[in-house]
Amino acid sequence: MSEASTPSAADSSPSSSHRELTAAQRNAVAELLRVSPVADELGRRFARAGHELHLVGGSVRDALLGRLGDDLDFCTDAHPDQTLRIIKGWAESIWETGREFGTIGAQRDGLRLEITTFRAEAYDQVSRNPVVEYGTNLADDLKRRDFTVNAMAVSLPDHRFTDPYGGLADLAARLIRTPGTPRESFGDDPLRMLRAARFAAQLRFAVHPDVREAMEKMATDLDRITAERIRDEFTKLLCGADPITGLRLLVDTGLADRFLPELSGLKLEIDEHAQHKDVYEHTLTVVSNAVSLEEDGPDFVLRMSALMHDVGKPATKAVGPDGRVSFHHHEVVGARLTKQRMKAMRYPKDVTAQVVGLVGLHLRFYGYGRGEWTDSAVRRYVTDAGDLLPRLHKLTRSDCTTRNRRKAAALAADYDALEQRIARIAAEEDLARVRPDLDGNAIMELLGVPPGPIVGRAWKHLKDVRLERGPLDRDEAEAELLRWARAEGLVD
């Protein structure tokens, strides 16, 4: 692709916006040159068959941002059956999972291609899923798209650039705006309101005031969208580069109240007689802290745990005779509320269990600095956390948001000491595989019992002893088992 074929800026003045547009052009050249052998070849195949093909949506946007990946989105006037005939024998693999929406998927030279028939997609204002009708031209297809930065196209194979709604200028201004009026756009697909917040989090873009106003007025329309679609958008938002901006937008526009009311509920009233930390602001800080501790990209489980760790506080808030505020057992209540909310949002059971586990454990560390923890308590901390321990370390550290530097330093030092102690005991006792010192077979042989509940009870007792006292040798373990069995009336 030559630079002359890429978008040109309308304003030739040496302004910041013009410089950003020029940079976007250069990004597009570099990114599209990389994929053009496959894209142009595909375009020629469609042209020979008498059909149009255009690179569209997020692919054009990301190319202009210099972050185009290996997933390319195309639109065409060809219907799915026609698309299949065109790519058959050329694509290395083909899938039809999106066929009901007019989309055919293919792979070629390491690139994943999604080719969608021009669409005129709208809601009937009652149903919870989009009604898809095929369109007839590129202009109408671009008009129905969510935002101007996603309503640009590069035609193939001639590389003609189409930008009818000023998406390039909005991209340079880092602005989220709709091609038509926000009310029309959100009326067609209310999920776009949530998507606006997601793009604010992912791309660090600002939301146009008209878009924001429509989000506030139409927030209740989100109730027409299925939990699964909301879940997927919210997950992308939370895993964005700047989730805090997206989360604030959800709360400020009232969108959060439609599917995650616990977040808005953290805005507890603070008065001069019952001072306590602003739980909402504290929570956003904890999320931000957790993001900073990630090592291998976005960790949804960690971020969601940080977001939900204090949702039990509103229900457990109490003011004592001295005016001090307490939230006793808010981690227990929070774990229950988290499970209920994630179930309602249709998160997988294993993901929900991990987040719930972290919320329930996040307070366990406090009190360690008072010197009350025995080695047994450390073993239980590690065993209860299990595979969640690395995330629990990060969540606990993230939860320290005090502005008192001395207190913050003391908490950090305490947790450093706990991690060192865990490492020492783990090296000595292999905490990752804490098991009773006798297995089930040994228990049955020593007690002379068959498989059944007695073996399970004995196994649990020996594990508790193992956690309390550390490893036992064979003789000690057998003696402990017999002592327990006599106390239970199982042996003489």
Side-chain angles (χ1 to χ4, degrees):
M1 175 173 287
S2 63
E3 186 161 358
S5 64
T6 60
S8 58
D11 180 10
S12 59
S13 63
S15 65
S16 172
S17 178
H18 174 71
R19 287 194 299 272
E20 290 182 17
L21 290 175
T22 303
Q25 290 175 269
R26 288 195 296 269
N27 287 334
V29 171
E31 293 291 276
L32 296 176
L33 274 175
R34 179 175 66 83
V35 302
S36 63
V38 169
D40 289 348
E41 187 177 342
L42 184 60
R44 286 190 290 268
R45 292 181 70 89
F46 272 79
R48 285 196 298 269
H51 293 289
E52 302 174 29
L53 186 73
H54 312 274
L55 189 69
V56 290
S59 293
V60 177
R61 179 199 71 221
D62 288 346
L64 290 163
L65 291 172
R67 46 176 279 176
L68 181 62
D70 294 330
D71 295 336
L72 305 181
D73 295 323
F74 301 89
C75 68
T76 179
D77 60 335
H79 286 199
D81 286 343
Q82 296 168 316
T83 294
L84 284 169
R85 286 196 292 271
I86 292 170
I87 65 175
K88 186 177 181 180
W90 175 83
E92 295 162 358
S93 61
I94 296 173
W95 54 94
E96 302 181 43
T97 51
R99 183 175 182 141
E100 64 177 311
F101 299 108
T103 300
I104 299 297
Q107 183 163 324
R108 172 83 177 192
D109 292 348
L111 298 175
R112 289 172 55 89
L113 320 171
E114 289 203 342
I115 307 161
T116 303
T117 304
F118 290 148
R119 291 191 298 200
E121 182 180 278
Y123 274 74
D124 63 9
Q125 307 301 315
V126 176
S127 69
R128 289 158 60 86
N129 287 303
V131 176
V132 178
E133 297 179 359
Y134 293 148
T136 59
N137 59 77
L138 177 63
D140 288 345
D141 185 271
L142 294 180
K143 183 179 181 180
R144 71 156 189 86
R145 292 182 178 265
D146 51 7
F147 306 113
T148 60
V149 294
N150 295 328
M152 299 178 283
V154 175
S155 301
L156 300 166
D158 60 344
H159 300 166
R160 175 171 43 87
F161 181 76
T162 302
D163 179 21
Y165 302 105
L168 185 59
D170 287 344
L171 196 69
R174 308 185 74 79
L175 185 66
I176 297 172
R177 194 168 57 87
T178 55
T181 67
R183 178 168 288 276
E184 291 173 338
S185 180
F186 297 157
D188 282 344
D189 186 353
L191 189 68
R192 289 172 174 172
M193 294 184 287
L194 187 52
R195 198 172 294 147
R198 189 248 289 184
F199 280 127
Q202 280 188 328
L203 302 176
R204 300 180 187 272
F205 280 19
V207 175
H208 190 281
D210 291 347
V211 174
R212 186 187 182 103
E213 181 182 4
M215 292 166 68
E216 294 173 359
K217 291 182 177 179
M218 301 179 67
T220 57
D221 284 18
L222 195 64
D223 296 348
R224 294 180 4 226
I225 305 301
T226 61
E228 291 82 359
R229 295 183 73 210
I230 291 174
R231 174 202 64 204
D232 291 346
E233 283 296 329
F234 175 72
T235 300
K236 293 174 184 176
L237 182 157
L238 192 58
C239 291
D242 181 18
I244 306 306
T245 293
L247 292 170
R248 287 191 186 280
L249 193 58
L250 292 181
V251 171
D252 294 345
T253 58
L255 286 169
D257 292 337
R258 313 317 307 174
F259 68 95
L260 191 62
E262 293 83 2
L263 180 56
S264 304
L266 293 175
K267 287 190 169 185
L268 301 180
E269 181 179 354
I270 301 175
D271 59 61
E272 60 181 346
H273 303 295
Q275 291 287 337
H276 61 81
K277 187 180 296 184
D278 186 325
V279 182
Y280 173 70
E281 291 298 332
H282 163 74
T283 294
L284 296 183
T285 301
V286 174
V287 173
S288 181
N289 290 345
V291 171
S292 71
L293 294 178
E294 291 173 338
E295 298 164 353
D296 300 310
D299 181 344
F300 172 77
V301 170
L302 176 62
R303 295 186 184 199
M304 189 66 173
S305 303
L307 184 66
M308 302 297 285
H309 80 286
D310 273 350
V311 295
K313 280 191 171 180
T316 58
K317 179 182 176 183
V319 181
D322 59 356
R324 298 189 64 175
V325 177
S326 65
F327 305 97
H328 293 307
H329 305 300
H330 76 266
E331 75 281 10
V332 177
V333 175
R336 185 179 72 247
L337 293 174
T338 299
K339 184 176 182 179
Q340 293 171 350
R341 180 54 53 196
M342 293 187 71
K343 181 179 180 181
M345 293 178 71
R346 304 291 194 272
Y347 278 102
K349 290 182 179 180
D350 59 333
V351 174
T352 298
Q354 291 176 44
V355 176
V356 170
L358 287 168
V359 172
L361 287 169
H362 83 275
L363 278 186
R364 183 78 69 85
F365 160 73
Y366 293 94
Y368 176 81
R370 296 195 295 267
E372 301 169 354
W373 282 34
T374 62
D375 280 358
S376 172
V378 175
R379 292 188 196 99
R380 291 184 182 279
Y381 186 75
V382 173
T383 302
D384 290 348
D387 293 340
L388 295 174
L389 185 62
R391 287 188 174 113
L392 182 57
H393 288 332
K394 294 174 183 177
L395 178 60
T396 303
R397 289 185 181 277
S398 299
D399 196 22
C400 176
T401 62
T402 179
R403 296 180 181 179
N404 184 318
R405 292 185 178 181
R406 182 177 296 179
K407 184 178 179 181
L411 285 171
D414 285 345
Y415 209 84
D416 287 342
L418 175 58
E419 288 201 61
Q420 292 167 7
R421 192 170 173 188
I422 289 172
R424 173 183 63 77
I425 297 174
E428 294 172 356
E429 304 178 12
D430 194 8
L431 284 182
R433 289 187 292 273
V434 170
R435 295 287 187 276
D437 296 285
L438 298 176
D439 63 17
N441 289 328
I443 291 171
M444 289 188 289
E445 181 180 352
L446 195 61
L447 297 184
V449 296
I454 291 176
V455 179
R457 287 164 50 202
W459 192 93
K460 182 180 183 301
H461 172 73
L462 289 176
K463 182 176 179 179
D464 289 341
V465 172
R466 170 74 166 77
L467 289 169
E468 184 69 30
R469 293 163 50 184
L472 306 178
D473 62 31
R474 180 75 181 202
D475 290 342
E476 290 174 322
E478 290 183 354
E480 177 58 35
L481 176 62
L482 291 174
R483 186 201 63 76
W484 172 84
R486 282 192 293 270
E488 293 289 314
L490 299 174
V491 297
D492 295 331

